[in-house]
């Protein structure tokens, strides 16, 4: 292996590690902010999902609106209220679990795909604007897409477990 080839691999692995860390860090911080402790969801985040994300005043153009558009409120047993609350809890769990996997480099492509899906949903349904796309959604998509396309790199549990599995099979 030449020096240039070694530098290329080291640079690629470092770049992939940086993509995993940056994307994981953003979503993990967001996910942890939704919890007051173990299995104790922060009620203010529930309100954020219900009224800032899915029932904003004034309504955002082309955004998903789950509440009554005229009164900007939910009826007690409405499907919109159930969806907003369910999405809040799912985001709270997903934004902790997937970033941890991504940072560790475990099931990296799947974790990055999940975060890319969340990013697309946020961009298309919650904040469908060019300003949000340019900062931050575009770089979230770029980091997730890079990990999906090229894998997690050598600084990952995926790489370690793959090497271990191949050595046990005798194909390494």
């Amino acid at each position: 292996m030449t020096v240039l080839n070694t530098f290329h691999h080291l640079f690629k692995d470092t770049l992939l590690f940086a993509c995993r860390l940056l994307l994981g860090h953003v979503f993990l911080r967001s996910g942890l902010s939704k919890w007051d402790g173990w299995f104790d969801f922060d009620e203010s985040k529930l309100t954020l999902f219900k009224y800032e994300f899915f029932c904003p005043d004034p309504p955002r153009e082309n955004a998903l609106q789950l509440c009554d558009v005229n009164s900007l409120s939910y009826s007690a047993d409405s499907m919109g209220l159930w969806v907003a609350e369910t999405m809040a809890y799912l985001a709270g769990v997903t934004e902790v679990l997937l970033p941890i996997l991504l940072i560790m480099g475990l099931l990296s492509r799947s974790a990055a795909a999940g975060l890319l899906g969340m990013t697309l949903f946020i961009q298309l349904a919650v904040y469908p604007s060019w300003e949000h796309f340019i900062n931050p959604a575009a770089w979230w998509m770029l980091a997730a897409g890079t990990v999906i396309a090229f894998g997690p790199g050598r600084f990952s549990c995926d790489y370690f477990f793959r090497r271990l599995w191949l050595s046990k099979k005798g194909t390494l």
Side-chain angles (χ1 to χ4, degrees):
M1 191 182 270
T2 66
V3 174
L4 189 58
N5 217 5
T6 303
F7 177 76
H8 168 77
H9 286 293
L10 184 60
F11 181 76
K12 179 181 173 186
D13 291 325
T14 304
L15 181 65
L16 291 168
F17 182 60
C19 285
R20 291 185 4 243
L21 286 181
L22 290 170
L23 186 62
H25 177 267
V26 167
F27 278 91
L28 183 60
R29 285 195 58 178
S30 176
L32 291 175
S33 76
K34 292 175 177 61
W35 299 94
D36 285 332
W38 285 100
F39 305 107
D40 184 17
F41 198 79
D42 183 347
E43 288 299 317
S44 70
K45 298 302 179 179
L46 198 54
T47 302
L48 178 74
F49 267 76
K50 290 192 295 193
Y51 294 103
E52 172 61 26
F53 295 163
F54 299 117
C55 190
D57 185 15
R60 285 187 292 279
E61 187 176 337
N62 299 320
L64 178 62
Q65 192 88 6
L66 295 177
C67 67
D68 182 295
V69 179
N70 299 321
S71 67
L72 293 177
S73 63
Y74 296 92
S75 59
D77 57 349
S78 72
M79 179 64 121
L81 180 61
W82 180 84
V83 169
E85 290 178 346
T86 301
M87 291 184 81
Y89 291 115
L90 285 174
V93 170
T94 305
E95 285 183 336
V96 172
L97 181 62
L98 293 181
I100 289 172
L101 290 173
L102 190 63
I103 290 167
M104 290 173 52
L106 186 59
L107 302 172
S108 304
R109 284 187 162 120
S110 298
L115 294 176
L116 177 62
M118 288 182 71
T119 300
L120 287 170
F121 181 82
I122 292 165
Q123 180 60 45
L124 298 173
V126 180
Y127 293 109
S129 69
W130 180 250
E131 291 79 25
H132 186 269
F133 175 74
I134 290 300
N135 189 26
W139 78 263
W140 295 347
M141 288 182 213
L142 181 64
T146 300
V147 173
I148 293 166
F150 298 105
R154 287 185 287 183
F155 309 134
S156 67
C157 291
D158 287 339
Y159 182 82
F160 172 78
F161 288 129
R162 185 170 190 278
R163 300 277 296 181
L164 186 65
W165 182 72
L166 289 174
S167 71
K168 295 238 189 251
K169 284 184 67 174
T171 56
L172 188 61

